[in-house]
Amino acid sequence: MVEMRKPIQVKEAVARVWEQRQEGNTTYIPLIESDNRRLAEDIIAAHPVPTFSKSPYDGFAIRSEDTVHAGRNNPISFKVVEHIGAGQVPQKQLHAGEATRIMTGAQIPAGADCIAMFEICQTYEDDHKESYMSIKRKMESGQNIIEEGSEVAKGDLLVPKGTLINPGVKAVLATFGYSQVKVAKKPIVGIIATGTELLDVDEDLQPGKIRNSNAYMIASQVVRAGADYHYFGKLKDELEESYQTIAKALDQVDILITTGGVSVGDFDLMPDIYERLGAEVLFNKLAMRPGSVTTAAVAGDKILYGLSGNPSACYVGFELYVRPILQHKLANQKPFLKRIKAKLANDFPKPNPFTRFVRSYITYDDGLVYAKPAGIDKSNVVTSLAHTDALTVLPGGTRGFKAGDEVDVLLLDDQEGQCEF
Amino acid sequence: MVEMRKPIQVKEAVARVWEQRQEGNTTYIPLIESDNRRLAEDIIAAHPVPTFSKSPYDGFAIRSEDTVHAGRNNPISFKVVEHIGAGQVPQKQLHAGEATRIMTGAQIPAGADCIAMFEICQTYEDDHKESYMSIKRKMESGQNIIEEGSEVAKGDLLVPKGTLINPGVKAVLATFGYSQVKVAKKPIVGIIATGTELLDVDEDLQPGKIRNSNAYMIASQVVRAGADYHYFGKLKDELEESYQTIAKALDQVDILITTGGVSVGDFDLMPDIYERLGAEVLFNKLAMRPGSVTTAAVAGDKILYGLSGNPSACYVGFELYVRPILQHKLANQKPFLKRIKAKLANDFPKPNPFTRFVRSYITYDDGLVYAKPAGIDKSNVVTSLAHTDALTVLPGGTRGFKAGDEVDVLLLDDQEGQCEF
């Protein structure tokens, strides 16, 4: 007879897997390879930035006090005593009436307290081929000088632990000499597809069969979530062989995902396999669409996810229940999908007793955010996933929704969010 | 004497480099490695989806006409003649009073026109151990059947050329048997840092010098833009050696980026090098901040970019002028940064005669999009880049901007946009 399962709410299901989260490991990698990894430590300024006062322009370093009488009809002359480019260290201290020709980024010589840009200076040589310059403007002390430490003081927190390394973070790491970077180690997610109906992607279609798209999709979601995957292939609906493969796979991974076989059909083997593994089932029926048969279980210190064989249900199950656990292991301090308010772009007339996660994409118009359903919203449909970058959350109830209704949206390509179920 | 350069508008500069764009090449790669690549061909449905009519539930396939008299007090019995799981092909055609026990995803047997879910069926055996089931509800023709082709018809355009391959696109490709995928080949961007002041990232600080952060930053921007890079190291401010390195590098790459040396300082060698290369300078002075000295030139069929040595100016120069050319080569049909309207989250009181691209990040509040400046907005500042995921465009003029003002924002982590300068 058909097993009767009691559906639990999404909020409760998220809480149950979240309780099973574990800290991740860390590793050092070369800076050059660190794109899109997450920092495993706070980056603290070991020195001020800049480390020395410098010029923001090409020009002349002078003493502002020498210019107090300068004016349109009263040019003040300076003898040019040194010429320095960026990376050179000034050797001469400036005295009254002296100037240093200085390039952008070069260190301010001792004695100077301002920079006169080339554009306001006249240069000339005297009879002895000595260089001079003159200006007709009064300068302020500190004018055009980038002071030591004006950007960052020593000890400042620059980038917090858990931050995703993007081009800007990389620039900061390089500035502070991190040739090796301490990052979160990528968790390994095992993937197993179940179902006698599955063909390999390079097989010709056969009657009654479909190609295995879920394994590729999940692998791609794992990569998007910042982890690595190990694909163990696909299983036929045979209990003993499936059990052996799953038990062995579990030893090699941090988290194991199976797709299919979790419902109450005659060939759905996962419930029996969880029992043989001695796994504690956290949930196996959810008050959500798609993905009502999404299952999570715990064996030892590992979470096993039994995602639906239906592509869209599988997709949603991964994002809601697997991704936050991976992001936590990766040190992300906001490991859930970012949840924002948006306006629904289309009518969604069909009411549903359960919370629905509608495959959608985000559009912007005139300062407002819209969520647009990505196509046919049935759990077996795969093609609408191609255009999906968000999930619109439609609460269960007796009515449908209208274009313009305010809805919650989970962003899939954004990297940070709080748990707001 | 200082060379006088005439600044041109951003719109004009974008147009001048855009005119130099070239088509990219294509290559085939395994589906499993295709994440974040761009499709180099339209994906057209070679067959309908599904390829056969199938059951969305575990239940019994029957003929609806047999249920016309079913009711709460009138159960109708069916003899179960076959039992099929997903992937199995039904062998028996249903006749009056017959049912096929059928699992989710399995093919509908000939003769059946609806599926009764397990939940509404009673099953029993007769004295001869023959299986039967009965239902008390009238069924409609077509009820609970996923019709062949109901998701996709043969010949439908599924995913257009130029689309970034995400988990959903990968699922579509797997469904249609693309074990190899035709994608845009990654252009190779050469990177050379110039400046005697630059230290390697693993060197200790020295007076007057800074670590080379721009090369790491640009490499990361190149990766984010979907291309590959070749780093040729850093050059001292010596003309002959710099010329030789740059000329050789140009032969090995599609596009060459140098950082630093483009201003009018005494050690800024790039203008001389462009001349020796016989390169046509497209622009070398822009009416924008940061990045006013951003330079682009063309030698043969290759674009050379001379980006500022200042980190933020360098960053902005890449995103505005290099990225669209790379995206075009990668077959992106919307190769510019996505431009949206947002509200400014903070006052930005300092007026500027030129268009300013303020390092910012995007926040969402109650359906509205906000752009928040990421920190100190000076061209030499590197740390604010760590928190940047957008550039707020503040038009030049005599006034500052106030929190709540509507502004244009360019999204850096989004992948598609039109040219809207």
Side-chain angles (χ1 to χ4, degrees):
Chain A
M1 207 39 250
V2 177
E3 175 197 354
M4 277 319 197
R5 297 176 176 177
K6 190 179 171 313
I8 66 167
Q9 297 297 318
V10 172
K11 183 190 180 76
E12 170 65 18
V14 168
R16 288 188 194 175
V17 288
W18 183 242
E19 220 165 70
Q20 304 296 329
R21 74 191 179 281
Q22 293 183 8
E23 300 303 314
N25 296 315
T26 62
T27 185
Y28 282 87
I29 60 169
L31 176 59
I32 198 76
E33 296 167 11
S34 66
D35 291 292
N36 295 316
R37 299 296 293 265
R38 284 190 185 272
L39 287 173
E41 61 179 353
D42 288 340
I43 303 300
I44 309 284
H47 56 73
V49 176
T51 53
F52 50 88
S53 295
K54 62 167 73 170
S55 176
Y57 302 119
D58 301 324
F60 290 93
I62 53 174
R63 296 158 17 119
S64 60
E65 62 191 289
D66 293 347
T67 68
V68 284
H69 301 299
R72 180 180 287 208
N73 299 314
N74 188 33
I76 307 281
S77 285
F78 293 81
K79 182 175 182 188
V80 179
V81 296
E82 196 177 9
H83 181 185
I84 57 168
Q88 295 175 344
V89 180
Q91 303 297 324
K92 295 195 179 159
Q93 167 149 5
L94 290 192
H95 302 99
E98 293 180 344
T100 296
R101 188 175 171 101
I102 190 169
M103 298 299 120
T104 305
Q107 185 171 344
I108 306 294
D113 68 349
C114 65
I115 301 291
M117 297 168 69
F118 275 163
E119 286 79 348
I120 66 163
C121 302
Q122 285 289 327
T123 55
Y124 61 95
E125 292 182 351
D126 71 4
D127 299 343
H128 310 290
K129 295 277 177 194
E130 297 275 11
S131 287
Y132 286 81
M133 78 94 178
S134 70
I135 64 170
K136 296 177 174 179
R137 284 195 211 171
K138 191 171 174 310
M139 300 290 295
E140 304 292 329
S141 179
Q143 195 173 345
N144 298 336
I145 288 192
I146 305 168
E147 297 286 350
E148 174 185 328
S150 58
E151 181 180 342
V152 167
K154 183 176 174 178
D156 278 2
L157 171 61
L158 299 168
V159 194
K161 177 181 170 177
T163 301
L164 200 71
I165 298 176
N166 64 21
V169 173
K170 226 167 162 179
V172 172
L173 292 169
T175 300
F176 286 90
Y178 287 83
S179 56
Q180 298 281 318
V181 190
K182 189 177 178 184
V183 297
K185 204 168 173 177
K186 293 185 177 185
I188 311 286
V189 179
I191 302 171
I192 296 177
T194 77
T196 304
E197 77 275 26
L198 298 181
L199 298 169
D200 276 327
V201 69
D202 53 1
E203 286 186 89
D204 284 336
L205 285 179
Q206 297 167 26
K209 302 207 172 195
I210 58 170
R211 293 202 188 88
N212 173 17
S213 60
N214 282 350
Y216 287 90
M217 181 182 75
I218 289 283
S220 188
Q221 288 176 287
V222 167
V223 169
R224 180 165 68 181
D228 271 341
Y229 64 85
H230 186 132
Y231 178 48
F232 291 93
K234 54 192 172 58
L235 298 177
K236 290 189 177 150
D237 298 328
E238 289 165 8
L239 183 60
E240 183 58 32
E241 188 190 325
S242 296
Y243 168 74
Q244 294 295 344
T245 304
I246 288 170
K248 268 184 220 156
L250 205 49
D251 281 342
Q252 300 171 46
V253 299
D254 295 299
I255 281 170
L256 184 65
I257 294 174
T258 56
T259 68
V262 283
S263 191
V264 294
D266 302 339
F267 307 101
D268 288 328
L269 305 175
M270 290 309 298
D272 287 343
I273 290 172
Y274 293 134
E275 205 173 315
R276 281 187 66 176
L277 288 168
E280 177 201 352
V281 174
L282 301 175
F283 52 80
N284 59 16
K285 185 86 177 171
L286 299 178
M288 65 179 265
R289 295 288 183 275
S292 65
V293 296
T294 306
T295 298
V298 177
D301 61 348
K302 295 187 178 164
I303 309 179
L304 289 86
Y305 291 94
L307 302 182
S308 168
N310 276 326
S312 293
C314 184
Y315 185 95
V316 170
F318 177 91
E319 297 295 335
L320 293 184
Y321 305 110
V322 188
R323 185 186 178 282
I325 299 297
L326 294 176
Q327 289 292 300
H328 175 76
K329 256 183 136 55
L330 286 164
N332 185 349
Q333 305 299 300
K334 294 178 178 172
F336 292 88
L337 292 171
K338 183 179 273 189
R339 191 179 184 116
I340 66 169
K341 299 278 180 202
K343 283 191 187 298
L344 196 59
N346 299 102
D347 289 349
F348 199 94
K350 193 183 160 199
N352 198 295
F354 302 109
T355 305
R356 181 172 279 277
F357 294 87
V358 182
R359 284 144 279 170
S360 308
Y361 58 94
I362 289 294
T363 62
Y364 300 91
D365 189 24
D366 210 19
L368 299 173
V369 194
Y370 291 85
K372 202 170 162 67
I376 306 177
D377 201 70
K378 290 187 173 168
S379 65
N380 59 293
V381 165
V382 64
T383 45
S384 59
L385 287 170
H387 313 290
T388 296
D389 65 13
L391 298 172
T392 300
V393 186
L394 298 182
T398 51
R399 67 177 190 89
F401 295 84
K402 288 205 172 305
D405 283 356
E406 185 187 88
V407 289
D408 279 11
V409 181
L410 302 172
L411 303 185
L412 301 175
D413 288 329
D414 200 279
Q415 296 292 340
E416 308 203 321
Q418 311 287 358
C419 183
E420 291 173 82
F421 285 104
Chain B
M1 207 41 251
V2 177
E3 174 196 355
M4 278 317 198
R5 298 176 176 178
K6 191 178 171 314
I8 65 168
Q9 296 298 318
V10 173
K11 185 190 179 78
E12 171 65 17
V14 168
R16 288 190 193 174
V17 287
W18 183 242
E19 217 164 73
Q20 303 297 328
R21 72 190 181 282
Q22 293 183 9
E23 300 302 314
N25 296 314
T26 63
T27 184
Y28 282 87
I29 60 170
L31 176 59
I32 198 73
E33 297 167 12
S34 65
D35 290 293
N36 297 315
R37 300 293 294 263
R38 284 191 185 272
L39 288 172
E41 61 179 351
D42 288 341
I43 303 299
I44 309 284
H47 56 73
V49 177
T51 52
F52 50 88
S53 295
K54 61 167 74 170
S55 175
Y57 301 119
D58 302 322
F60 290 93
I62 54 176
R63 299 163 7 124
S64 59
E65 62 191 290
D66 293 348
T67 68
V68 284
H69 301 300
R72 181 180 286 207
N73 299 312
N74 189 33
I76 306 283
S77 285
F78 293 82
K79 183 176 181 187
V80 179
V81 296
E82 197 177 10
H83 182 184
I84 56 166
Q88 295 174 345
V89 180
Q91 303 298 323
K92 295 195 177 157
Q93 165 146 7
L94 289 192
H95 303 99
E98 292 180 345
T100 294
R101 188 174 171 100
I102 189 169
M103 298 299 121
T104 305
Q107 185 172 344
I108 306 294
D113 68 350
C114 64
I115 301 293
M117 295 167 71
F118 275 163
E119 287 78 348
I120 66 162
C121 302
Q122 285 289 326
T123 55
Y124 61 94
E125 292 184 350
D126 71 3
D127 299 343
H128 310 290
K129 296 278 176 191
E130 296 276 14
S131 286
Y132 285 82
M133 77 92 179
S134 70
I135 63 171
K136 294 178 174 180
R137 286 195 210 169
K138 191 172 175 310
M139 300 290 296
E140 303 292 331
S141 181
Q143 194 173 345
N144 299 334
I145 287 191
I146 305 169
E147 298 286 349
E148 175 185 328
S150 56
E151 181 180 343
V152 167
K154 185 176 173 176
D156 278 1
L157 172 62
L158 298 168
V159 193
K161 177 180 171 177
T163 301
L164 199 71
I165 299 177
N166 65 20
V169 172
K170 226 167 161 179
V172 171
L173 292 169
T175 300
F176 286 90
Y178 287 83
S179 56
Q180 298 282 318
V181 190
K182 189 177 180 184
V183 296
K185 203 168 176 178
K186 293 184 178 187
I188 310 288
V189 179
I191 302 171
I192 296 177
T194 77
T196 305
E197 77 276 25
L198 298 180
L199 298 169
D200 276 328
V201 70
D202 54 1
E203 285 186 272
D204 285 336
L205 286 178
Q206 296 169 25
K209 303 208 170 191
I210 59 169
R211 293 202 188 88
N212 172 16
S213 60
N214 282 349
Y216 286 89
M217 183 183 75
I218 289 284
S220 188
Q221 289 176 286
V222 167
V223 169
R224 180 166 68 183
D228 272 340
Y229 64 86
H230 186 134
Y231 179 47
F232 291 93
K234 55 194 173 56
L235 298 178
K236 290 190 179 148
D237 298 327
E238 289 165 10
L239 182 61
E240 183 58 34
E241 188 190 324
S242 295
Y243 168 74
Q244 293 295 344
T245 304
I246 288 170
K248 269 183 219 156
L250 206 49
D251 281 342
Q252 301 172 46
V253 300
D254 295 300
I255 280 171
L256 184 65
I257 294 175
T258 56
T259 68
V262 281
S263 191
V264 293
D266 302 338
F267 307 102
D268 288 328
L269 305 175
M270 291 308 299
D272 287 342
I273 291 172
Y274 293 133
E275 204 174 315
R276 282 189 62 175
L277 288 168
E280 176 201 355
V281 174
L282 302 174
F283 51 80
N284 59 16
K285 185 85 177 173
L286 299 177
M288 66 180 264
R289 295 288 183 276
S292 64
V293 296
T294 306
T295 298
V298 177
D301 60 350
K302 295 187 180 164
I303 309 180
L304 290 86
Y305 292 94
L307 302 182
S308 168
N310 276 326
S312 294
C314 184
Y315 185 96
V316 171
F318 178 91
E319 297 296 336
L320 293 184
Y321 306 108
V322 188
R323 186 187 176 284
I325 298 297
L326 292 177
Q327 290 291 301
H328 174 75
K329 255 183 135 56
L330 285 164
N332 185 350
Q333 304 299 302
K334 294 178 179 173
F336 292 89
L337 292 171
K338 183 180 273 189
R339 191 179 184 116
I340 67 169
K341 297 277 181 202
K343 281 190 187 302
L344 196 59
N346 300 103
D347 288 350
F348 199 94
K350 193 184 161 196
N352 198 297
F354 302 109
T355 305
R356 181 172 280 278
F357 294 88
V358 182
R359 284 145 277 171
S360 308
Y361 57 94
I362 288 294
T363 63
Y364 300 91
D365 188 24
D366 209 22
L368 298 174
V369 196
Y370 290 85
K372 203 171 161 65
I376 306 177
D377 201 71
K378 291 188 172 165
S379 66
N380 59 293
V381 164
V382 64
T383 47
S384 58
L385 287 170
H387 313 291
T388 296
D389 65 13
L391 298 173
T392 300
V393 186
L394 298 183
T398 52
R399 65 177 190 92
F401 295 84
K402 286 203 172 310
D405 283 357
E406 186 187 88
V407 290
D408 278 13
V409 181
L410 303 172
L411 303 184
L412 299 176
D413 288 329
D414 201 278
Q415 298 292 341
E416 308 204 321
Q418 311 286 0
C419 183
E420 292 173 81
F421 284 104

